[in-house]
Amino acid sequence: MELSKEQAERYQRHLPLHEIGIEGQKKMGNAKVCVIGAGGLGSPAAMYLAAAGVGTIGIADADQVELSNLQRQILHGMEDIGIPKVRSAKETLQRLNPDTVVHTYPVFVDEDNILELIGPYDFVIDAADNFHTKFLINDACVMAGKPFVHAGVIRFQGQLMTYVPGQGPCYRCIFKQPPQKGAVPSAKEAGILGVVCGVIGSLQAMEAVKYILGAGDLLTGKLLTYDALGARFRTIHLPERTQDCGACGKH
């Protein structure tokens, strides 16, 4: 693709960056990113990807917009209450950037549909809100050879890590198995500050952009944690991929 006059004006703050420039902007225009979850994490991630000029974004979410979502899920507004989140997400993203193609999947992501869902995409964003789906995203991306960025948020804390095939451990290498039901409180039970979702979801978008551009250092082999109350980021270097991992191990 060539940049139109309007696109050159839209992305004029990108073009002086030597890591982007015209060629990098074209890469973003040709890129396809799948966002699984149109909630607290998926909202800022998808909005910044569209604003950056990512050409195709897929949004998967089976829920409808509720009033309690609006404290953190900035894709949606009062007028969207009661409609599918993917519909609201598409309308918001296309108002932000009409050049971005948005594909919507109003489904619960499960073992039967995830490989078909992520198949057309270059990068996957795990913006799910439950452990079962997070492990499912990891296992499917490992199987399909797809890079993805995991993130989780609760209360005033967040974390994220990136998996690229052949580079560092996957999510299951580190966390092994989903916790037993009730062992870890949900965000609904423990609470969450919406701004934390904005910080971590934006970092997920940044990982996707770096991957698309081939610029900077990805969070492969590293877990980045964020403590909002202490205004602290911490980078934890993860162990190498485990040979007995149920997803990416030898067997």
Side-chain angles (χ1 to χ4, degrees):
M1 60 167 272
E2 296 297 325
L3 297 186
S4 66
K5 182 178 178 182
E6 183 181 88
Q7 288 170 328
E9 182 176 355
R10 177 185 288 270
Y11 304 120
Q12 63 176 276
R13 299 298 189 276
H14 281 175
L15 301 183
L17 299 170
H18 74 267
E19 294 87 351
I20 303 180
I22 292 176
E23 291 307 311
Q25 197 61 54
K26 289 179 183 179
K27 285 182 181 179
M28 285 201 276
N30 291 325
K32 299 178 181 180
V33 178
C34 182
V35 181
I36 299 180
L41 291 170
S43 288
M47 290 183 75
Y48 270 113
L49 291 173
V54 169
T56 302
I57 298 174
I59 303 279
D61 198 304
D63 291 336
Q64 295 182 329
V65 179
E66 299 177 1
L67 181 60
S68 62
N69 300 150
L70 304 186
Q71 160 256 10
R72 64 201 179 281
Q73 300 183 17
I74 58 173
L75 275 171
H76 319 298
M78 287 293 292
E79 67 279 7
D80 300 316
I81 292 173
I83 72 171
K85 285 185 180 179
V86 292
R87 175 179 151 195
S88 171
K90 181 173 183 175
E91 291 171 354
T92 300
L93 296 177
Q94 294 198 315
R95 280 197 302 270
L96 179 61
N97 191 346
D99 290 339
T100 296
V101 175
V102 182
H103 298 300
T104 59
Y105 308 93
V107 297
F108 289 106
V109 177
D110 59 24
E111 292 85 350
D112 293 329
N113 61 24
I114 189 166
L115 288 173
E116 182 178 359
L117 174 68
I118 66 175
Y121 294 94
D122 306 311
F123 193 91
V124 177
I125 289 183
D126 164 18
D129 63 358
N130 66 86
F131 287 107
H132 174 79
T133 305
K134 290 184 178 301
F135 276 89
L136 179 64
I137 292 168
N138 176 83
D139 296 350
C141 286
V142 170
M143 184 180 297
K146 299 282 184 181
F148 80 98
V149 58
H150 148 79
V153 287
I154 195 166
R155 293 179 53 80
F156 300 95
Q157 291 88 39
Q159 67 179 36
L160 68 157
M161 63 175 282
T162 296
Y163 167 79
V164 175
Q167 299 180 30
C170 75
Y171 181 74
R172 191 178 285 276
C173 286
I174 307 305
F175 298 102
K176 308 300 181 188
Q177 299 289 339
Q180 292 185 347
K181 189 174 181 180
V184 179
S186 67
K188 183 176 182 180
E189 295 164 334
I192 184 169
L193 178 65
V195 178
V196 176
C197 297
V199 172
I200 301 300
S202 298
L203 289 171
Q204 286 187 287
M206 187 70 244
E207 289 294 284
V209 168
K210 287 190 294 183
Y211 178 82
I212 293 165
L213 296 174
D217 297 321
L218 292 168
L219 286 169
T220 50
K222 291 172 280 191
L223 181 73
L224 183 68
T225 66
Y226 174 58
D227 170 14
L229 291 182
R232 287 188 296 268
F233 284 98
R234 180 186 177 202
T235 302
I236 301 167
H237 291 272
L238 301 173
E240 295 294 324
R241 182 178 62 138
T242 55
Q243 297 300 316
D244 61 347
C245 173
C248 69
K250 279 187 176 181
H251 303 293

